Tab-separated table of all heavy atoms in Angstrom:
chain	number	residue	atom	x	y	z
E	39	LYS	N	4.871	21.555	-37.131
E	39	LYS	CA	3.788	22.163	-37.909
E	39	LYS	C	3.123	23.257	-37.080
E	39	LYS	O	2.978	23.138	-35.860
E	39	LYS	CB	2.759	21.084	-38.283
E	39	LYS	CG	1.645	21.596	-39.184
E	39	LYS	CD	0.700	20.474	-39.551
E	39	LYS	CE	-0.420	20.969	-40.447
E	39	LYS	NZ	-1.371	19.878	-40.825
E	68	VAL	N	12.120	50.482	-36.085
E	68	VAL	CA	12.858	51.370	-36.981
E	68	VAL	C	13.955	50.570	-37.653
E	68	VAL	O	14.768	49.916	-36.989
E	68	VAL	CB	13.463	52.569	-36.222
E	68	VAL	CG1	14.229	53.474	-37.180
E	68	VAL	CG2	12.382	53.351	-35.508
E	124	GLY	N	16.755	57.019	-60.184
E	124	GLY	CA	17.076	56.889	-61.597
E	124	GLY	C	16.125	57.611	-62.522
E	124	GLY	O	16.445	57.832	-63.697
E	138	ILE	N	9.632	61.584	-53.340
E	138	ILE	CA	10.322	60.289	-53.253
E	138	ILE	C	9.830	59.515	-52.041
E	138	ILE	O	9.549	58.307	-52.126
E	138	ILE	CB	11.845	60.496	-53.191
E	138	ILE	CG1	12.355	61.120	-54.490
E	138	ILE	CG2	12.559	59.181	-52.952
E	138	ILE	CD1	13.828	61.481	-54.469
E	139	ASN	N	9.721	60.178	-50.899
E	139	ASN	CA	9.238	59.522	-49.680
E	139	ASN	C	7.831	58.951	-49.875
E	139	ASN	O	7.527	57.823	-49.455
E	139	ASN	CB	9.245	60.501	-48.510
E	139	ASN	CG	10.651	60.903	-48.103
E	139	ASN	OD1	11.618	60.185	-48.366
E	139	ASN	ND2	10.778	62.042	-47.461
E	174	SER	N	31.939	71.037	-58.243
E	174	SER	CA	31.480	71.578	-59.527
E	174	SER	C	30.184	72.350	-59.370
E	174	SER	O	29.999	73.416	-59.971
E	174	SER	CB	31.290	70.438	-60.531
E	174	SER	OG	32.505	69.754	-60.758
E	193	GLU	N	21.858	96.306	-66.630
E	193	GLU	CA	20.524	96.906	-66.689
E	193	GLU	C	20.498	98.268	-66.007
E	193	GLU	O	19.874	99.221	-66.491
E	193	GLU	CB	19.509	95.973	-66.036
E	193	GLU	CG	19.237	94.717	-66.850
E	193	GLU	CD	18.242	93.814	-66.170
E	193	GLU	OE1	17.901	94.099	-64.990
E	193	GLU	OE2	17.794	92.834	-66.791
E	215	LYS	N	13.475	125.887	-77.701
E	215	LYS	CA	12.314	126.734	-77.465
E	215	LYS	C	12.740	128.157	-77.129
E	215	LYS	O	12.176	129.151	-77.618
E	215	LYS	CB	11.476	126.149	-76.343
E	215	LYS	CG	10.188	126.903	-76.081
E	215	LYS	CD	9.392	126.217	-74.988
E	215	LYS	CE	8.090	126.998	-74.718
E	215	LYS	NZ	7.292	126.355	-73.637
E	242	LEU	N	36.725	116.192	-65.071
E	242	LEU	CA	38.046	116.348	-64.482
E	242	LEU	C	38.099	115.708	-63.100
E	242	LEU	O	39.063	115.059	-62.725
E	242	LEU	CB	38.401	117.842	-64.398
E	242	LEU	CG	39.808	118.165	-63.872
E	242	LEU	CD1	40.871	117.611	-64.800
E	242	LEU	CD2	39.962	119.665	-63.697
E	268	THR	N	29.594	139.168	-78.416
E	268	THR	CA	29.212	139.028	-79.821
E	268	THR	C	29.464	140.348	-80.533
E	268	THR	O	29.480	141.412	-79.908
E	268	THR	CB	27.722	138.669	-79.946
E	268	THR	OG1	26.953	139.724	-79.395
E	268	THR	CG2	27.416	137.380	-79.225
Side-chain angles (χ1 to χ4, degrees):
K39 184 178 180 180
V68 180
I138 295 175
N139 293 337
S174 299
E193 289 179 351
K215 184 178 180 181
L242 184 63
T268 62

